[in-house]
Amino acid sequence: MAKIKGLETYKRYWEDQASFMDQSPWDLRKILKLTFSNDFDKNIEELKFSDHSISKEDGKLILRLKVPYNYSELDDFEGKAIELLGIDKNYLIDMSFTNSNCTNT
């Protein structure tokens, strides 16, 4: 049986990692910004990304995700994020961390 992948798997994994803490696992100041080729467009529905987290900008597909508060201390956080999301690396054009404008958890 294949592992379930997508946004819910990503969120559940990081929340489970921080379940022993009395605070939200999410860093409210930073987000992970993934830029995809338009070829990735057909995979969006099956991975269940919300309209809030995905958009089209300058003809490219942009996915913005919350990151764990300790993302910078984790070994290969970016690789783990891609694995949990079930994203084919061939569709990925760019991956970066950017400031968040959102204050919701």
Side-chain angles (χ1 to χ4, degrees):
M1 186 165 125
K3 282 183 150 182
I4 297 173
K5 304 215 185 275
L7 184 58
E8 288 304 313
T9 301
Y10 173 88
K11 288 166 71 174
R12 191 175 322 116
Y13 177 84
W14 296 116
E15 287 169 353
D16 288 349
Q17 296 298 310
S19 64
F20 66 92
M21 297 175 29
D22 291 332
Q23 70 179 40
S24 169
W26 306 113
D27 185 328
L28 298 179
R29 298 173 313 251
K30 292 289 182 182
I31 57 172
L32 178 61
K33 181 180 173 183
L34 304 169
T35 306
F36 299 97
S37 69
N38 289 328
D39 295 335
F40 184 70
D41 209 5
K42 63 186 174 222
N43 301 83
I44 293 170
E45 284 187 35
E46 72 183 55
L47 295 176
K48 300 181 182 357
F49 296 126
S50 70
D51 291 340
H52 176 73
S53 61
I54 198 150
S55 63
K56 285 198 176 193
E57 298 174 17
D58 299 323
K60 296 178 183 134
L61 202 55
I62 308 292
L63 175 63
R64 290 179 175 82
L65 298 170
K66 297 187 275 186
V67 295
Y69 71 93
N70 62 342
Y71 74 93
S72 62
E73 300 167 11
L74 300 172
D75 289 337
D76 194 25
F77 168 75
E78 294 93 336
K80 186 65 176 178
I82 290 171
E83 175 189 338
L84 292 167
L85 292 167
I87 294 171
D88 184 334
K89 291 179 187 178
N90 293 326
Y91 294 133
L92 194 58
I93 296 172
D94 186 42
M95 178 185 296
S96 62
F97 294 96
T98 187
N99 292 330
S100 173
N101 297 325
C102 184
T103 58
N104 297 334
T105 56

